[in-house]
Amino acid sequence: MRRLAPFALTLAPALALGACSTTGAGTGRDTAVPPVLLTPEAQDEFSFAQPAVARVTHVDLDLALDFRARSVGGTATLDIAAADGAQEIVLDSNGLQISAITAPDGSALGWTAGDTVAGKGAPLTVRMGDARRITITYRSAPEADALQWLAPEQTAGGQQPFMFSQGQAINNRSWIPTQDSPGIRQTWTARITAPEPLTVVMSGIAQGQPEAIGDGRRAFRFAMEKPVAPYLIAVAAGDIGFATLGPRSGVWAEAATLERAAAELVDTEAMIDAAERLYGPYRWGRYDMIVLPPSFPYGGMENPVMTFLTPTFIAGDRSLTGLVAHELAHSWSGNLVTYASWRDGWLNEGVTSYIENRVVEEVFGPERAAQERMLSFAEVTGALEELGADAPGTTLRTPPVLDPIDYSSAIIYDKGALFLHTLERIVGRERFDPFLRSWFDAHAFQPATSAMFLDYLRRELVRGDTALEQRLMLDQWVYAPGLPANVARPDPQVFAGVETAAHAYAADRTIDAAAWRGWSTAERMRFLGSLPEKVSAAELARLDEALGLSSTGNAELRFLWLQAALRNRYDPAVPQAEAFLGTVGRNKFVAPLFATLVEQGEWGRPIAKRIYARTRPTYHSFTRGRVDRLLGVGG
């Protein structure tokens, strides 16, 4: 094989393309290409890409949404930066149906689709020769992992279909032929056509008004001029409207949901302001959101300029808007600075969870923030009890023996946040806040690794202070299992009243309904999470009657109630669970409730199978995959 001329290296080391720039014709884009890290810790084993040879720098999509075929089709034009002498580029694909690949002059380019690897897709190798811009004509498969297509009856309005994408972790390769790796940041533009009256939104800034193109279709244009990880390219289309929240924020939703969503999101601008005070300017222009139909599998997805949200955050009292603070926080941690490898999941989610808590404190006060920190700490301790304090699955950086894409969220989110709370407590906010802001400033629109974060922390915060280095226990936090001895434990007194009530209930089933009415959602969650494992049917009935658990509009509380009821084989809860599982697709709720039923053997498993036979088609592929494994079904 011909030896390729190497790229120059930075100290990272990284592909030093920052000195180069690419200009997209007609887009006004003139963007320095961010580096690709080459350290072993930055390697992405979930991508076939070989960015040291050739990498994608920009994607231009021209696609039509086909609801009947449940597919997108059209072209993706890729700008490429390559080493001297490079003749091929390797892309990621999963089920893409390629019909042609051409050079700028229209000449056909050779290409090969490699063997499919389970959970990864297949390499698409393009023999580009000297071309540094290629156009791929293709369609996605009807069951593309990233795309969910909803029939009208699966929407709130019931009249029009709906579709949305979910790219994270490695799903976007099922509808976009690119290098689907978080460390290979790309700018992008898109023209998406859809049937009227549907409106298309994307994780990019809308360019002008929709254009009628005939045959009852309209074209929508978008641009993302900031280089982003490719999993952050997202699209949704439905019969949706818009409500303004502030000068740079708003929300999209179906008509039946829009008013309630806007009322729940009135604090959005205050959250943006708080995050900016702490961590510097919001660099994305607008911060809009879309509330998706219930089948969306996550609480939220931090797609730039268009956060995707589950409707389950709408509680009527803004008590679950910590979710919005979390997705907003990703505008700094995760979107602005992104892990290069999925093994550093905490570097996105743990740092973001810490910022979320700080924003909640700024906007809603220290009491709510302290309560939510205590709930988060309980998630960590629960995970350590379940997995084992010395288990490799409790390290922040996922070890090689484990799958980082199917890793404990309590570790990467909650232990990750706890690491930063510990750093803050030891060095003080007056030092830690400027440090974290400087981390974002120094690495804006670039990939990063755990090693880079620790090196930067040692250089900018520790500064050779041996005693401080020992107190921080940095390597133990990131690379060792369990919780280090210096952990900043939250104050348990924030739930003192709840603990008293929980102990009273455990002792003699005393129910303090008056106290319940005065509690915050976090306090109520703490109480329900503290219920005894065994509760009789009569006791559950009294609990429901006193606290109104089966009728609550708060999805978090409804979930905890159903978990307690189902694990005690409480028959009146079965139709409640069936209704809940038939209207909620959020995996956080769905998979654990089915797991609880399965754990109940001959009582629960038939119920789970009966419910799932009806609800499975309404769930996203992510949720279906997890419940399929629980019940041993599929297809």
Side-chain angles (χ1 to χ4, degrees):
M1 178 176 174
R2 181 180 175 186
R3 181 179 177 86
L4 301 178
F7 288 108
L9 298 181
T10 65
L11 293 178
L15 290 181
L17 293 173
C20 305
S21 65
T22 60
T23 301
T27 68
R29 180 172 47 89
D30 188 0
T31 306
V33 178
V36 173
L37 303 178
L38 297 179
T39 58
E41 198 175 45
Q43 299 306 299
D44 178 13
E45 70 263 44
F46 294 93
S47 173
F48 295 100
Q50 300 173 11
V53 177
R55 59 163 294 185
V56 175
T57 62
H58 178 76
V59 179
D60 181 24
L61 300 172
D62 191 344
L63 300 173
L65 305 182
D66 186 338
F67 282 83
R68 184 171 299 172
R70 302 167 71 89
S71 177
V72 302
T75 62
T77 299
L78 311 181
D79 289 354
I80 298 165
D84 293 344
Q87 298 290 295
E88 295 183 341
I89 184 168
V90 182
L91 309 174
D92 293 301
S93 171
N94 188 5
L96 297 178
Q97 300 164 2
I98 311 295
S99 56
I101 303 180
T102 57
D105 63 2
S107 60
L109 297 175
W111 56 276
T112 304
D115 294 335
T116 297
V117 177
K120 186 175 177 179
L124 175 61
T125 302
V126 182
R127 294 182 288 280
M128 62 184 179
D130 294 330
R132 294 300 179 259
R133 185 175 177 87
I134 64 174
T135 297
I136 303 171
T137 304
Y138 70 99
R139 293 190 68 85
S140 67
E143 298 300 324
D145 287 344
L147 305 179
Q148 180 148 17
W149 305 85
L150 304 178
E153 57 269 22
Q154 294 175 285
T155 68
Q159 300 299 311
Q160 298 292 338
F162 203 108
M163 70 82 63
F164 63 86
S165 68
Q166 171 56 41
Q168 196 179 38
I170 57 173
N171 294 332
N172 268 357
R173 63 193 64 180
S174 69
W175 74 285
I176 304 173
T178 188
Q179 292 175 319
D180 190 14
S181 177
I184 308 177
R185 299 178 75 104
Q186 301 152 33
T187 55
W188 61 269
T189 50
R191 176 183 179 269
I192 308 292
T193 70
E196 296 180 302
L198 304 187
T199 295
V200 178
V201 297
M202 291 192 76
S203 53
I205 300 296
Q207 306 294 296
Q209 296 299 311
E211 173 192 0
I213 58 173
D215 294 327
R217 296 183 69 86
R218 294 188 295 171
F220 299 76
R221 296 179 184 272
F222 305 89
M224 173 49 65
E225 297 184 356
K226 312 291 187 182
V228 297
Y231 71 79
L232 293 171
I233 305 175
V235 63
D239 188 7
I240 53 177
F242 182 76
T244 297
L245 298 172
R248 53 182 165 174
S249 61
V251 59
W252 293 89
E254 293 185 80
T257 307
L258 185 57
E259 184 176 354
R260 291 185 298 120
E264 206 81 358
L265 294 167
V266 295
D267 298 307
T268 299
E269 283 288 337
M271 291 183 184
I272 301 172
D273 292 342
E276 286 190 313
R277 288 193 299 272
L278 290 167
Y279 305 114
Y282 178 78
R283 306 183 194 214
W284 302 91
R286 290 197 58 81
Y287 184 75
D288 291 328
M289 296 157 281
I290 179 172
V291 180
L292 294 172
S295 58
F296 184 57
Y298 300 110
M301 181 62 209
E302 62 273 15
N303 301 310
V305 312
M306 188 62 66
T307 285
F308 284 17
L309 292 173
T310 170
T312 62
F313 86 96
I314 302 174
D317 59 3
R318 313 202 312 271
S319 62
L320 300 181
T321 53
L323 170 66
V324 180
H326 182 92
E327 305 309 333
L328 169 66
H330 271 300
S331 302
W332 286 263
S333 172
N335 296 0
L336 188 63
V337 185
T338 311
Y339 47 49
S341 164
W342 298 107
R343 296 194 175 279
D344 284 324
W346 77 273
L347 202 54
N348 276 24
E349 298 298 352
V351 177
T352 294
S353 296
Y354 169 81
I355 296 174
E356 168 198 342
N357 192 253
R358 294 293 306 278
V359 170
V360 165
E361 180 178 329
E362 288 280 317
V363 176
F364 300 108
E367 183 178 18
R368 174 169 165 177
Q371 291 175 353
E372 293 182 3
R373 272 194 65 198
M374 194 66 197
L375 290 177
S376 175
F377 185 75
E379 291 292 321
V380 178
T381 56
L384 294 179
E385 290 173 4
E386 178 183 349
L387 300 171
D390 295 327
T394 64
T395 63
L396 283 185
R397 177 170 166 86
T398 310
V401 296
L402 295 175
D403 181 356
I405 295 177
D406 192 16
Y407 203 61
S408 170
S409 61
I411 300 302
I412 62 174
Y413 286 72
D414 301 299
K415 182 183 173 182
L418 195 54
F419 175 35
L420 269 68
H421 282 295
T422 300
L423 296 177
E424 175 207 308
R425 182 172 295 184
I426 291 173
V427 304
R429 284 187 176 180
E430 68 279 0
R431 293 182 62 193
F432 190 67
D433 285 354
F435 158 76
L436 196 53
R437 174 171 177 167
S438 73
W439 163 257
F440 297 132
D441 290 341
H443 300 87
F445 304 111
Q446 296 182 32
T449 65
S450 292
M452 288 172 60
F453 182 81
L454 294 184
D455 287 347
Y456 189 81
L457 193 152
R458 287 182 167 108
R459 184 169 70 250
E460 301 297 326
L461 199 59
V462 178
R463 297 182 178 180
D465 186 334
T466 304
L468 179 59
E469 171 81 24
Q470 293 175 343
R471 290 178 63 202
L472 294 177
M473 305 176 71
L474 300 176
D475 290 331
Q476 188 171 340
W477 268 101
V478 174
Y479 299 114
L483 284 180
N486 68 348
V487 58
R489 298 177 183 273
D491 182 4
Q493 289 304 304
V494 299
F495 285 137
V498 177
E499 297 299 332
T500 298
H503 290 147
Y505 185 78
D508 57 16
R509 298 305 190 258
T510 297
I511 303 172
D512 192 341
W516 172 272
R517 287 191 292 272
W519 284 345
S520 67
T521 289
E523 289 171 311
R524 292 177 177 183
M525 290 174 64
R526 178 72 169 192
F527 176 79
L528 293 176
S530 301
L531 290 176
E533 281 294 310
K534 298 298 181 182
V535 186
S536 72
E539 291 162 351
L540 286 167
R542 286 195 295 272
L543 194 67
D544 185 20
E545 181 181 5
L547 305 183
L549 297 171
S550 62
S551 61
T552 178
N554 186 306
E556 295 280 357
L557 301 181
R558 179 79 66 88
F559 165 69
L560 291 170
W561 155 249
L562 289 174
Q563 269 202 317
L566 295 177
R567 73 169 177 258
N568 285 283
R569 303 187 178 189
Y570 182 53
D571 287 319
V574 173
Q576 299 169 25
E578 187 161 9
F580 187 74
L581 290 167
T583 55
V584 170
R586 188 176 178 184
N587 184 69
K588 174 184 179 180
F589 301 142
V590 172
L593 286 178
F594 277 110
T596 299
L597 283 169
V598 169
E599 288 166 2
Q600 297 310 308
E602 62 183 13
W603 179 85
R605 180 174 280 275
I607 295 171
K609 287 190 172 183
R610 174 175 58 79
I611 294 174
Y612 193 51
R614 181 176 66 84
T615 61
R616 186 180 187 275
T618 70
Y619 297 146
H620 188 272
S621 61
F622 176 84
T623 304
R624 288 199 308 269
R626 277 141 184 79
V627 183
D628 283 353
R629 290 199 295 270
L630 281 170
L631 293 175
V633 300

